[in-house]
Amino acid sequence: MINSYYVQRTAQAIFTVFAVITITFVLIRQIPGGPTSYVRSQLAQQSGSVDMEQINTLVEAYTNVRPDEPLYVQYFNYITSVAQGDLGTSMYYSTPVSEIMAAAVPWTVFVMSVSLVLTFGIGISLGALTAYVEGSRFDVGLTLISIFLNSIPYYVLAIILVYALGYQLDWFPIGGLVGGDVTVGLNLGFIASAIYHAALPIASFVVTGFGIQALTMRGNSIRVLGEDYIRVARLRGIPPSEIALQYVGRNAILPMYTGMMISIGFMFGGSIIMEEIFAYPGVGYYMFRAISASDYPLMMGAFLIITIAVVLGIFVADLTYGKIDPRAGQGGNRESY
Amino acid sequence: MSDNSFTGRSEATKADVSAIQVDDPILEMRDASVTFDMDRGESRVLDQVNLDVQRNEILGVVGESGSGKSMFASALLDAVVDPGTLSGDITYHPDPDRSVDVLDLSPEQLRELRWEEISMVFQGAQSSFNPTTTIRDHFEETIEAHNYDMAQGMAHARELLEDLYLEPDRVLDAYPHELSGGMQQRALIALSLVLEPNVLVMDEPTAALDLLMQRSILSLLNDLQEKYDLTVVFITHDLPLVAGLADRLAVMYAFEFAEVGPADEIIRNPTHPYTRSLLKAVPNLDTPLQEMQPIEGMAPDPVDVPEGCSYHPRCPLADDVCRASNPAYHAVDDSDDHVAACFHWEQASDVLSLTTDGETEHAEIVGKQSADPVVSLTDVDVHFEQEADGGLLSIFDDPDLVHAVDDVSLDVYENDVVALVGESGCGKTTLGKTSIAAQRPTGGSVTYREQDVWDAKDGVGDVETPFEAIRRSLQMVHQDPGGSLNPNRKVQASLEAPLKHWNTGMDAEDRKERVFSMLEYVGMSPPEDYAGRYPHQLSGGEQQRVALIRALLMNPDLILADEAVSALDVSLRVEVMDLMLELQDVFDTSYLFISHNLSNARYFAGNAGGRIGVMYLGEIVEIGPAEEIIANPKHPYTKVLKWSTADLEVDQDVEEPPISSIDIPDPVDPPSGCRFHTRCPEAREACARQQPSLDEHASDDEHRVACFREYDQSHEYWESEPIDDGESTDLFADGSDAAEIESDD
């Protein structure tokens, strides 16, 4: 017998990705007005005469699938090419999808990771602070603000920010990854320009996102503060700062860890609208473009990247949680006997 | 509480306050009160308590839950939780000539007093440790916080752990959850002693453990107290537990002390009516079954303590004087040591007689069980797979197999009572669940009225009784009554649910009628009132009654009562067990009663003429009629359990346990041969090689024992050499792997 937990989790992750590829394939084949008929109509418009063989070749070039082959051969070819990293060619940009994605992913990851760190950093600090002064005016005020900001949809805030700070005040750029005058590389100007351009998208994620984290952290901390081991630690004379970090902080943050990993996926999903609003060419931006242009290969490629990011986030959370919380990974399936 | 009773009380205590002073006090408590402001009034949870703690004594503080004994403990360290306020005087004498006013210390001085001078051990060891740091971190941060020398401190910690029969290296590197309940509690005791305090306050330190572990810890505590010159304040609800350990006993009732005196005096000559009732209410192994009776009534509400003597509503001796004014402490038998707060202390012994002579003949109680088994287990095994935890690299390791139940055969007859007794982790709960078809065995068969239960579930062969019917006939009452009732549903709804599901013929009116009559029957009247309550509005005893009714509404043939009375207060246990037995008569049901407490098992099974089965590491090692097992235990393990069930004997010192290892071996890898041989004081080499069985030896049918000592003289056991376990390290050598076992008690 093998250690089933890790094997199970790995198999689940692989299966999810595989299922997404399969659904992608089915969608390409079955959606009315799918890529095949799209290519066909394009050619018909261009040349007037429609040569079936030419259509099939073109469709294959774009989507890796030849419509005249048997279904299982098409499926096999599609899976093989995806496994090799060949996601087809964008019809809109006429560039391989993998190239577009390779250029876009780092920018999205950059915005996402900074947003994530800030959201949780601010949320956890404020939550812990309000828990310690539970019931004070600061606690009530901050809780109200957290709830208010959390109830604003991030895209509404994004539009307000881009309108006010971008168009009206002209403090921030209204699009693009970096300024045109910087050289790409690890130099100060480039990094500063990248941060400058990413500031508004990050701000709209963080301002609307930290509230719920602060509230969760506040609740967890208050629960931990009521635990017996806090009382025992105080009686033992452990310094308050150490109790706050080692006892309260650590035990209150642990339950939020999985949520943090899952929100990676949530943010990737949110990037579709966010990057469109800020004209920020990341994964979401291309996804949006692909949808409006019926660019199926690009759409599927972006979709696949987002799925893999979500699955990977949860998978890493599952595997590492046992390392972070010594209680996990042991007690779960313990029967009492 | 009115003002005049209040002043009357303080005058009375002041008048006679010298009575509870001692020669060389290490702690003096004067007029100490703890109050909480609540919406419905001031809650006074410690009421003008005056008590001295003698240097180097073990003081046992006994009281029911809600009597204020935990507040007394917290007050000694000025550690009353917010928003409680502590008033009065508490003086600590580090040595006879110096005194420290505990309530007048600066925060930094108080921080130094706690743990360095006065230390504390709490009830739940598991919840007293930070779950995400190792035991070593706990020791190190404590030593560091008090600026002690780290190397010296850790060396002391190791010594303490060894004194408590723990392996220092293994325990220090473990996380709290990796240790069994008994190990956690001992590690916590070591942690509280690491800064070498003078006073150790222990608040119910063993309440969550099974009896054998409790007694083992107590005997270790006795050694520690002598070795380190400690003064111990031991707080418990369990009078017999501390009777043998404590030098003095203080009985708490309604937030003050009712009686204080030397332990043997209190046990032999209890004077306060409450102490006498408490002694009668405790199930033990010597008192004849008919003699035990519960204390009527309920402990008072801290907001509304009765006027006059707070015990008068429950006291058989109460008269107008008791109702009008609060009694002062009276010295008993001209000795200043033993005092009782009662006007009628002279008559108490006549009215409430205690027959403590163990010579009374055990009345023969004949049960009504039939010859046909309701549930029959044959060669049942239950093995669990447990993941080897070694991270990613251990993917290809074999999972460990936990032998929770191994090859057990047991018949439960109609109207039968079988009590299963054993330590935590011995498999009694698993065996119980298997018997009521809540756990599928990995080997052997479980039959209900000759229908194989799991064949019925799987539809194998001819199914005479469908699984749903079997499921309905086998019910369960859990240990924690609060946890087994849905907190968001009223009693009425919880009780109606099974009727709705199974008795579709009943309309709403019938169901209501049925529920009301059942509530009335178990003494919860008016039923309309109780039916409309939520579980948190019921007391523990009432919740357990509701859980019992819910099981009985199914008209079951067998009820599994898994530690059903363990969570209840001592004075309530007898009452609930009586009710269960009474209901057995009415509903013709059988009980499988699980307990770690031999005296509860004896009371329950004995009163129904039932059997007691003793379990050890997944096997039944001895089974027989209840009184027979108690009076004449044959298996060494049963004798150990009997030892652990503290009698009300003060003379017997807390002796070394008749067992050679405190911790139970790991059920993943049970010892070869007789599983008990690693801990058995009678073990010989043959025991390590061969396994004794319940069936083969020449004992009568009723009382069966799996031990070679019951075999005839020709067995090789009698020829082989005793197993030498003279080395003290052996004490934990075999128990060292038991850490994985989580306590289910």
Side-chain angles (χ1 to χ4, degrees), chain B residues 109 182 203 217-218 238 286 304 374 382 486 512 594 652 738:
Chain B
Q109 285 171 321
D203 186 5
I217 288 183
L218 247 58
D238 194 348
D286 291 334
D304 188 22
V374 175
V382 184
N486 186 339
K512 202 169 149 192
I594 292 177
Q652 64 178 55

Side-chain angles (χ1 to χ4, degrees), chain A residues 203-284:
Chain A
S204 23
F205 269 132
V206 173
V207 170
T208 58
F210 81 86
I212 183 73
Q213 308 306 341
L215 292 177
T216 315
M217 182 66 188
R218 177 180 178 272
N220 287 352
S221 303
I222 288 172
R223 178 180 56 75
V224 173
L225 279 169
E227 295 277 357
D228 282 348
Y229 54 80
I230 303 293
R231 185 166 175 231
V232 177
R234 282 186 181 143
L235 286 181
R236 274 192 289 147
I238 310 298
S241 58
E242 200 181 324
I243 293 182
L245 285 177
Q246 274 298 316
Y247 283 70
V248 184
R250 203 172 160 173
N251 286 292
I253 290 170
L254 279 176
M256 299 172 71
Y257 180 71
T258 309
M260 187 154 76
M261 286 298 173
I262 290 172
S263 59
I264 294 176
F266 173 78
M267 286 188 161
F268 257 99
S271 73
I272 296 172
I273 294 167
M274 184 65 78
E275 293 177 352
E276 176 60 22
I277 293 171
F278 291 103
Y280 193 86
V283 176

